[in-house]
C-alpha cells in the first residue's frame, strides 16, 4: 500500500505533515511526497521536507490514497493547481482514500468531490465560502469523515486526522 502526501513548496504546516507521516510509517504504509516542484519545501515553523516528485510527475494509478497538508502555502500554491485537482478526482473515482487538513479541504471542494459530504476546514471567510460553493456540508468538529474522505480543521487535529485516514486506507485492504 502506498499513499501520496502533497505539500506546498513554502509555508505548509509542519505538524500537519510530520504527524501523519510518522503515523503512516508506524502503520507500515509507504508514502511519496510531492509538491508543485521537486526539492526542499519549507514549513511555516521551519521544517524542511524533500518533495521527491513534482505534481506533473505523479502517476496516480500507483497510490491507494492522497493526503494534502494545509498551512498558508496550501492557499497560495495548491488551491488553484489544476494538476492536483485532477489527481484528487482520479484517486477519488478509483475508490482511494482522500484526506485534507487545515486550508487544504478547499482543494477537495474545488475538485467537486465534497458535494453533499460532511467536511471541515480551517475557518476563514474565504475557506468557508469555498467549501459552501463546493457543496460541502460543514461539520463543526476537528475531524470529519464521510465515506472515503477525511478532512480536519488544523494542526491540533493532526493525530486524529492521521488515524482516521489510516483506518479508511486499512478498511480498503480487507
Amino acid at each position: 500500500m502506498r499513499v501520496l502526501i502533497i505539500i506546498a513548496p513554502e509555508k505548509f504546516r509542519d505538524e500537519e505533515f510530520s504527524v501523519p507521516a510518522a503515523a503512516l510509517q508506524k502503520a507500515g504504509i509507504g508514502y511519496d511526497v510531492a509538491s508543485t516542484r521537486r526539492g526542499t519545501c519549507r514549513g511555516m515553523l521551519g521544517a524542511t521536507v524533500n518533495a521527491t516528485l513534482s505534481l506533473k510527475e505523479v502517476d496516480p494509478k500507483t497510490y491507494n490514497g492522497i493526503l494534502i497538508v494545509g498551512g498558508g502555502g496550501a492557499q497560495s500554491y495548491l488551491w488553484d493547481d489544476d494538476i492536483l485537482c485532477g489527481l484528487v478526482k482520479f484517486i477519488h473515482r478509483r475508490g482511494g482514500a482522500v484526506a485534507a487538513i487545515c486550508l487544504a479541504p478547499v482543494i477537495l471542494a474545488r475538485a467537486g468531490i465534497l458535494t453533499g459530504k460532511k467536511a471541515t476546514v480551517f475557518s476563514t471567510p474565504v475557506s468557508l465560502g469555498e467549501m459552501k460553493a463546493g457543496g460541502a456540508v460543514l461539520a463543526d468538529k476537528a475531524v470529519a469523515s464521510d465515506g472515503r474522505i477525511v478532512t480536519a480543521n488544523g494542526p491540533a487535529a493532526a493525530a486524529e486526522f492521521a488515524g482516521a485516514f489510516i483506518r479508511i486506507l486499512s478498511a480498503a485492504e480487507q
Side-chain angles (χ1 to χ4, degrees):
M1 184 179 322
R2 193 146 197 89
V3 300
L4 182 64
I5 300 178
I6 307 293
I7 59 174
E10 297 172 17
K11 297 185 180 172
F12 66 86
R13 189 63 196 221
D14 304 43
E15 61 273 58
E16 292 173 4
F17 171 81
S18 63
V19 172
L24 287 165
Q25 191 169 15
K26 185 176 178 187
I29 299 169
Y31 63 85
D32 293 320
V33 179
S35 188
T36 54
R37 58 166 170 74
R38 279 179 179 225
T40 301
C41 300
R42 301 201 185 289
M44 295 173 72
L45 305 179
T48 58
V49 175
N50 184 43
T52 57
L53 297 167
S54 70
L55 291 174
K56 60 185 166 203
E57 295 173 310
V58 170
D59 177 2
K61 294 186 288 295
T62 61
Y63 298 101
N64 305 87
I66 185 170
L67 184 152
I68 309 171
V69 173
Q75 183 172 355
S76 302
Y77 296 96
L78 303 178
W79 279 17
D80 294 322
D81 194 287
D82 292 335
I83 295 170
L84 178 55
C85 186
L87 293 171
V88 167
K89 288 178 184 178
F90 184 88
I91 291 170
H92 181 258
R93 271 197 309 267
R94 287 185 65 229
V98 177
I101 186 169
C102 192
L103 288 169
V106 168
I107 298 156
L108 309 186
R110 288 186 171 187
I113 69 165
L114 291 183
T115 304
K117 301 280 186 185
K118 287 181 294 201
T120 191
V121 68
F122 183 80
S123 181
T124 69
V126 175
S127 67
L128 291 173
E130 290 282 345
M131 295 293 282
K132 288 176 186 168
V137 177
L138 290 170
D140 186 22
K141 52 189 186 176
V143 177
S145 295
D146 194 329
R148 311 250 331 125
I149 300 170
V150 181
T151 54
N153 66 4
E160 184 182 349
F161 170 73
F165 182 61
I166 290 168
R167 278 190 298 281
I168 288 173
L169 280 168
S170 300
E173 290 296 300
Q174 297 174 1

